[in-house]
Amino acid sequence: QTSFYGRFRHFLDIIDPRTLFVTESRLKEAVQLLEDYKHGTLPPGVTNKELWGAQKIKQAIIHPDTNETIFMPFRMSGTAEPPSLLLQVVGLLLPNQTLASTVFWQWLNQSHNACVNYANRNATKPSPTSKFIQGYLGAVISAVSIAVGLNMLIQRANKFTPATRLLIQRFVPFPAVASANICNVVLMRHAELEEGIDVLDNNGNIVGSSRIAAKHALLETALTRVVLPMPILVLPPIIMSILEKTSLLRSRPRMILPVQSLVCLAAFGLALPLAISLFPQMSEVST
């Protein structure tokens, strides 16, 4: 995972939706196979392909800090391209949003984000439930406030034509979601800045707790949460503004929503591995 391409390939495996259908018995077999490999007691005939398959299953399902099974909807593979998340993205990008619909879609998106962040958190140090609630409320309030505020400003901008106003409104979800994601991460993991997180040596042994390492981790996570919604909430409005001018969609307006759903699906399939590949899972800091 020293290169971006290597991490990208690695995370494509982690978000593979097929791992959602791995049974409990298959998961136990995969974990046991990796334990046998670690202790040099592999049964004869086990191939490298089988070992990599077991590694893929474990990394997609088991939390690396707690060794507990991550609840299925909040795994990285569970956030890859399920109907529920696709519905959120399409809902956020719907034109002519009302106040109620703006609040609803931002609330739904940030509720899902908060659960995913908590399920995949750095769990080397215990964090009280109050931190999770604080991060969740902060994210929802910031997302709704920014989205509603920007929409109101755009509607009051008399200099814009109706077409221009509609186009600009399509980009409102990105700053709202990106800022809320940062707020979510900072509030939920603020304790790490005060207490630090565990740091390891080259052999994986815990050598202490570091606030500097926590600062690095928090910054990288926040940057990832800004990059993640960028392709999802920026590319589809641009693409759809072009496609809606074609004769095909002009003559078939009912096709706009299905086409937008496909565009969002493709954008999200690219965005997730791209964003989480920016930084390695195990970063290094100078002693």
Side-chain angles (χ1 to χ4, degrees), residues 174-190:
F174 171 67
V177 170
S179 58
N181 285 351
I182 295 175
C183 183
N184 192 314
V185 169
V186 171
L187 288 174
M188 287 184 66
R189 298 179 58 174
H190 181 72

Side-chain angles (χ1 to χ4, degrees), residues 4 224-225 227-229 270-279:
F4 174 81
T224 299
R225 295 299 189 270
V227 174
L228 177 57
L270 169 69
L272 185 59
L274 184 70
I276 59 180
S277 300
L278 290 176
F279 306 103

Side-chain angles (χ1 to χ4, degrees), residues 6-264:
R7 293 193 295 272
F8 187 79
R9 289 287 304 273
H10 168 70
F11 285 117
L12 279 178
D13 280 343
I14 289 182
I15 68 170
D16 187 343
R18 291 176 297 180
T19 58
L20 294 173
F21 304 102
V22 172
T23 62
E24 188 70 25
S25 59
R26 178 70 184 97
L27 175 61
K28 289 180 180 179
E29 288 175 8
V31 172
Q32 186 58 53
L33 196 62
L34 294 172
E35 285 296 313
D36 292 342
Y37 172 77
K38 183 178 179 180
H39 296 102
T41 57
L42 272 178
V46 176
T47 64
N48 281 339
K49 185 178 181 181
E50 289 175 313
L51 284 171
W52 282 112
Q55 177 80 335
K56 173 180 175 178
I57 290 172
K58 181 182 177 183
Q59 289 185 331
I61 300 175
I62 302 294
H63 193 289
D65 295 333
T66 64
N67 287 321
E68 296 178 354
T69 301
I70 300 172
F71 186 46
M72 188 173 68
F74 306 136
R75 298 173 194 166
M76 285 300 175
S77 53
T79 62
E81 288 163 5
S84 61
L85 197 58
L86 178 61
L87 181 66
Q88 289 177 42
V89 175
V90 173
L92 286 168
L93 296 175
L94 286 174
N96 300 316
Q97 296 258 16
T98 64
L99 176 62
S101 65
T102 299
V103 172
F104 172 76
W105 290 115
Q106 290 291 345
W107 166 78
L108 183 64
N109 179 251
Q110 288 306 320
S111 296
H112 182 266
N113 286 348
C115 292
V116 171
N117 286 343
Y118 182 79
N120 296 277
R121 70 197 184 282
N122 183 316
T124 57
K125 292 290 181 67
S127 181
T129 307
S130 59
K131 290 292 181 183
F132 170 75
I133 297 173
Q134 187 181 36
Y136 168 69
L137 292 176
V140 171
I141 292 170
S142 61
V144 170
S145 300
I146 292 171
V148 172
L150 287 176
N151 276 327
M152 290 177 66
L153 285 174
I154 293 168
Q155 289 172 3
R156 292 177 181 177
N158 298 324
K159 294 181 180 180
F160 297 139
T161 64
T164 303
R165 190 179 292 115
L166 180 61
L167 180 62
I168 295 174
Q169 280 181 323
R170 284 183 160 181
F171 291 96
V172 167
F174 171 67
V177 170
S179 58
N181 285 351
I182 295 175
C183 183
N184 192 314
V185 169
V186 171
L187 288 174
M188 287 184 66
R189 298 179 58 174
H190 181 72
E192 295 176 17
L193 294 174
E194 301 171 353
E195 302 171 9
I197 58 174
D198 289 346
V199 288
L200 319 173
D201 60 18
N202 289 334
N203 299 317
N205 301 313
I206 297 176
V207 294
S209 184
S210 169
R211 285 180 290 182
I212 294 175
K215 185 178 178 180
H216 278 275
L218 209 61
L219 178 61
E220 291 180 356
T221 305
L223 288 173
T224 299
R225 295 299 189 270
V226 172
V227 174
L228 177 57
M230 194 178 293
I232 307 170
L233 299 177
V234 174
L235 286 180
I238 295 173
I239 295 171
M240 287 306 298
S241 65
I242 297 171
L243 293 179
E244 286 172 2
K245 294 177 182 177
T246 62
S247 58
L248 177 65
L249 291 186
R250 279 185 173 180
S251 60
R252 298 175 179 84
R254 291 183 179 180
M255 290 289 293
I256 291 178
L257 190 58
V259 170
Q260 180 170 323
S261 300
L262 290 175
V263 171
C264 292

